[in-house]
Amino acid sequence: MDIRQPQREQQRFSRRMVLALGLIAVMAAILLGQLLKIQVLQHPDYATQSTRNAIALLPIAPARGLILDRHGQVLADNRVTFTLAITPNTAGDLSDTIGRLRSVLPVSGDDLEAFQRDLGRSHPYQPVVIRRNLSAAELAAFAVHRHEFPGVELQARLKRFYPYGPLFAHVVGYVGHLTPADLDEASANHYAGIDYIGKNGLEAEYEEILRGEPGNQNVEVDARGRPLRTLRDTPPEQGENLTVTLDLALQQAAARAMGTHSGAVVALDPANGEVLVAYSSPAFDPNAFVDGLSGTAWAALQDDPATPMTNRFLRGAYPPGSTIKPFVALVALQNGVITPDEKLPGGATYQIPGSTHKYYDWKPGGHGAENLGEAIRDSNDVYFYQLAMRLGIARLSAGLAPFGFGKLAGIDLPGEAAAVLPSPEWLQRRYHQPWYQGQTVMVGIGQGYLLATPLQLARATAAIANGGKLVTPHLVRSNADIDNPADAIPQGIGLSAAAMSEVQAAMRAVVTSGTAHNLANDPNAIAAKTGTSQVRRARRNDAGRALTGDPTALQDHALFIAYAPADHPRIAVAVIVEHGGHGGSAAGPVARAVIDAYLQGSASPLPTPGATP
Amino acid sequence: MNWSRWLIRPWQRLDPALTTGILLLMAISLAVLYSSSQGNLGIVLQQSLRFGIAFTALLAIANTPPERLRAWAPFLYAIGLVLLAATLVAGHSYLGARRWLGIGPLSFQPSELMKLALPLFLAYYYAQQEHVQNWRAAITGFFVIGVPFLLIAKEPDLGTAGQIAAAGLFTMWLAGVRRRWFIGLIVIAAVSAPILWHFLHGYQKDRILTFLDPQRDPLGSGYHIIQSMIAVGSGGVFGKGWFNGTQVNLDFLPEAQTDFVFAGFAEEFGLVGVLFLIAVYLLIVLRGLAIAYESRDPFGRLIAGTLSLTFFLYVFINMGMTTGILPVVGVPLPLISYGGTAMLTFMVGLGILMSVHAHPRLHE
């Protein structure tokens, strides 16, 4: 029964062999199916992936264009710096490498933090920066030990350098490291290989011109990303140098004259709106931003009560105070509510008819009856209270608008503020309040809701200097590559020549015999208007006097607008010295320093750039 | 006439078809390795030397009568078990697995020996068994397979354990163990798979998950599969040409000379080359099955059939994992991959086939 049956066994073996053959056929069919799928059907797909694998586009960064002042002085430069980077998969044990590296040159906690952060974002075959800005001594120290550090390489890079440090911080701005937030998909390939992007000021405004276009090398790479041979080479398009209208010597004169005061200086060429000076004080060193500020340094800047990060000339909205008076006078003449010769009663105070509230003159006891020119010269508050009342807020507001108040000046810088030209409509819209006549009175002397930036004031001053044309302040002239709409022939704002010359003469009288007579002996015929604006921030007693405490914080802001020479104006200036006190004595000398430097200082040699690192 | 005994007769034992297949694979292997090593002649010479040694072993086995092989089988199996146990106790640990055993300056994987010893022993057992269809024959077979399977799985080397079990199951199948046992095994495996999942090591789960979705970790565990499929797929119908494979020559393809050698071949020679390669393998396998079929001796046909099927299984697993059909299990492509141990095993296996063919009459 269970005797071996070779015959049957043989048959069974054969049957099972057939099934085994079937298994082989199935396996072969599966293999063939898969091979047909990926080698024939999906071949184009895989071919693309294979090409993408093996061909890398190595970006070549362009050199960023320099920023030069009108005389060719370099305001933003590129310097070669040396950076140490570690390629993780060739360096081996990272903590050991860094530990040994630290015995050769210092690596700070911030460096390590940045290294760890970047490490997490990159492939192991990509070098990650561990130290920037190696000094000559560190460079030499590393060079000696180089062979001990496989995977650690020295890279030369161009780094932005601002030779004048804080001097142009608010106008030239600064570049900083490119972050993912800076890029959208469209712009990403314009930044291949580029480390920096303009974050502020001219650096940001003219980013595309300064940046250039990266080139690239089409190289065959191995799996570690090592280039093996170059297939095609597209050189980068270098960034273009940007010549701006600023004048180094003037900016330095302004900064020197401002000293440690907070405030701002703007100087324009009244003929065309070219910006000669744009200075905000205090400032910060933009070089510190290039490779990123540490958290503590950033906090220190943010918490500084002097707010060095605030761009006062562009965004500082100040009550213009008495510097508004020449403009109010022009509006009044234009509207025919007064003639140049009509004298208005003086006195220590002014009361709106039917009201008991008294508006004081700045001068105890006040002035006598004065005509328009005298009132500007003496900055007669009571005269301008009456003028404002005669005009009414509607005509006053509409008349000030053509000088650019309440509107963006249109300068080629990011972040400008429009400040405030108040009107009943504006008050209703903004605060849902009705307009009171008392507010009209205050606007007449540049207080109340009226706010202007130093840039707006300089622009308006230029309009008086050039005989009634509103320029658009700008830092860059139009040329073959740049179309700057601000650089256009200024349009007249429809003021009569007679009214203009009346106010111009009055502003000259301000210097010769008025509130700015401290500048009377200046060789350049300066025309000006002083201003003092009340500081809202300062606490005051019931009589309106500033309370004692921090002596400077409680003083009023000193303002000064000026142009020179009076007959053929070549420069218009607006100065504000925060808590400086009286406009003529505190802000006037700053304006004079700039004017003198411009009108007679052009022959003197330009100072050499400071050695700020 | 003494010289003919030593110089001519051994060669007469070589099967022409199998020998042709082996020589073709050898030529392909050297060509692929030369290209994937970017023209490293050292690697080619070393592989040639290994071919020489392995072929000498083949020659020796081909001239050994099957009855002698059958007589060795129990001892080989016993030695294999002892060495596997020794590996677990005293083996070299490499990447968390104990797979290597060192004897003096040499180190080898006992599981490699088991790849031949297990089918030899099972063929030995079933060839002398009178009642192949009873339950005792089935249980014994499962036990003979189970012990080395568990020892190797414990190393852990689940891939090799599975391959050895497959070889053993082929022998049982060809020997005529009842079908129900195989069906039962499949049912048990399917039911217990989710439970076994929990006993798998992290890397083993990883391999299976990666196989199901290579893109879940494209730079990590999915990298092998993705780069390998890019290599095969980009080869297209006619291939990129010898020495022109970018995947393999620019190091994108990992293990391009060992487990993933097929991807480099497919990239440079395309579907046409691959079809030729498969044809060569089928030539060997079908010839092996024919030898088994023709053999009148139970032991001879069992071992020949098993080794032929196993040989194709290796080809399938390797090509399957390279082209994304199977998870990465670390199986060399027979006679093409760089490396000596596996080649020796395959050659000895083919030597056994030739021995079976050359000694048709086995005395009872």
Side-chain angles (χ1 to χ4, degrees), chain A residues 33 36 52 77 82 163 196 236 502:
Chain A
L36 281 174
R52 201 184 303 146
D77 201 356
F82 289 94
Y196 300 112
E502 195 68 39

Side-chain angles (χ1 to χ4, degrees), chain A residues 230-255:
Chain A
T230 302
L231 305 174
R232 199 153 45 79
D233 211 350
T234 315
E237 207 176 287
Q238 307 295 0
E240 279 173 52
N241 289 352
L242 189 70
T243 298
V244 298
T245 59
L246 292 166
D247 187 320
L248 170 63
L250 265 62
Q251 187 91 357
Q252 285 175 324

Side-chain angles (χ1 to χ4, degrees), chain B:
Chain B
M1 284 311 226
N2 209 21
W3 55 272
S4 97
R5 178 168 174 203
W6 291 109
L7 286 178
I8 296 179
R9 207 181 299 158
W11 299 92
Q12 288 171 340
R13 310 270 192 205
L14 293 181
D15 179 73
L18 286 179
T19 309
T20 306
I22 291 168
L23 291 177
L24 281 172
L25 290 180
M26 206 185 286
I28 291 172
S29 171
L30 295 180
V32 172
L33 291 182
Y34 190 53
S35 162
S36 66
S37 63
Q38 282 114 66
N40 185 338
L41 215 59
I43 281 187
V44 173
L45 287 175
Q46 207 164 352
Q47 183 79 345
S48 308
L49 187 68
R50 284 171 178 167
F51 268 122
I53 294 170
F55 199 83
T56 308
L58 176 143
L59 210 53
I61 298 293
N63 282 282
T64 307
E67 55 262 44
R68 200 173 299 166
L69 294 172
R70 190 177 66 179
W72 290 348
F75 299 104
L76 287 174
Y77 180 73
I79 292 169
L81 286 187
V82 169
L83 291 179
L84 280 177
T87 308
L88 281 182
V89 178
H92 302 310
S93 196
Y94 176 67
L95 293 176
R98 281 180 189 276
R99 296 174 183 173
W100 297 81
L101 192 63
I103 300 174
L106 296 167
S107 68
F108 76 112
Q109 298 190 47
S111 57
E112 207 62 43
L113 169 64
M114 200 43 99
K115 282 179 183 172
L116 292 173
L118 176 65
L120 278 172
F121 182 58
L122 277 176
Y124 159 87
Y125 171 75
Y126 285 114
Q128 62 172 23
Q129 203 64 25
E130 303 217 338
H131 315 290
V132 182
Q133 296 221 300
N134 66 13
W135 64 271
R136 197 188 301 253
I139 294 298
T140 310
F142 286 136
F143 182 76
V144 169
I145 295 171
V147 174
F149 174 83
L150 289 175
L151 286 172
I152 296 170
K154 189 87 180 67
E155 286 180 355
D157 188 354
L158 213 53
T160 305
Q163 292 153 27
I164 284 175
L169 291 172
F170 282 146
T171 317
M172 288 175 72
W173 171 259
L174 293 174
V177 173
R178 281 179 175 277
R179 259 170 228 210
R180 62 179 73 129
W181 292 100
F182 295 96
I183 295 165
L185 190 68
I186 291 167
V187 170
I188 291 171
V191 169
S192 60
I195 302 159
L196 285 174
W197 174 258
H198 292 283
F199 292 99
L200 288 181
H201 288 260
Y203 83 94
Q204 292 168 331
K205 290 184 185 176
D206 222 36
R207 277 184 178 178
I208 293 172
L209 288 175
T210 301
F211 161 66
L212 295 174
D213 179 16
Q215 296 293 345
R216 67 189 268 273
D217 186 9
L219 290 175
S221 51
Y223 185 80
H224 281 44
I225 295 182
I226 292 171
Q227 295 301 336
S228 154
M229 287 180 73
I230 292 176
V232 176
S234 66
V237 174
F238 297 105
K240 294 177 183 173
W242 195 38
F243 266 89
N244 290 333
T246 52
Q247 285 291 103
V248 51
N249 283 317
L250 302 178
D251 293 345
F252 287 100
L253 187 67
E255 320 238 0
Q257 285 145 36
T258 52
D259 289 354
F260 284 89
V261 71
F262 176 70
F265 174 80
E267 182 185 21
E268 295 194 342
F269 298 99
L271 185 60
V272 173
V274 171
L275 289 178
F276 178 74
L277 181 63
I278 292 178
V280 174
Y281 279 125
L282 283 177
L283 166 74
I284 291 176
V285 171
L286 294 179
R287 176 65 191 140
L289 290 175
I291 288 171
Y293 185 76
E294 287 166 7
S295 174
R296 297 285 151 239
D297 169 52
F299 173 77
R301 71 180 175 225
L302 275 183
I303 191 66
T306 302
L307 292 177
S308 305
L309 286 175
T310 315
F311 190 81
F312 193 73
L313 183 70
Y314 281 96
V315 173
F316 176 73
I317 292 177
N318 181 278
M319 291 188 180
M321 77 179 191
T322 310
T323 53
I325 304 174
L326 295 172
V328 177
V329 282
V331 172
L333 186 62
L335 300 186
I336 302 276
S337 286
Y338 183 72
T341 322
M343 191 196 298
L344 189 65
T345 311
F346 288 124
M347 286 288 208
V348 169
L350 291 167
I352 294 173
L353 281 180
M354 294 192 193
S355 161
V356 170
H357 176 63
H359 305 79
R361 288 160 199 268
L362 198 65
H363 320 289
E364 281 297 316

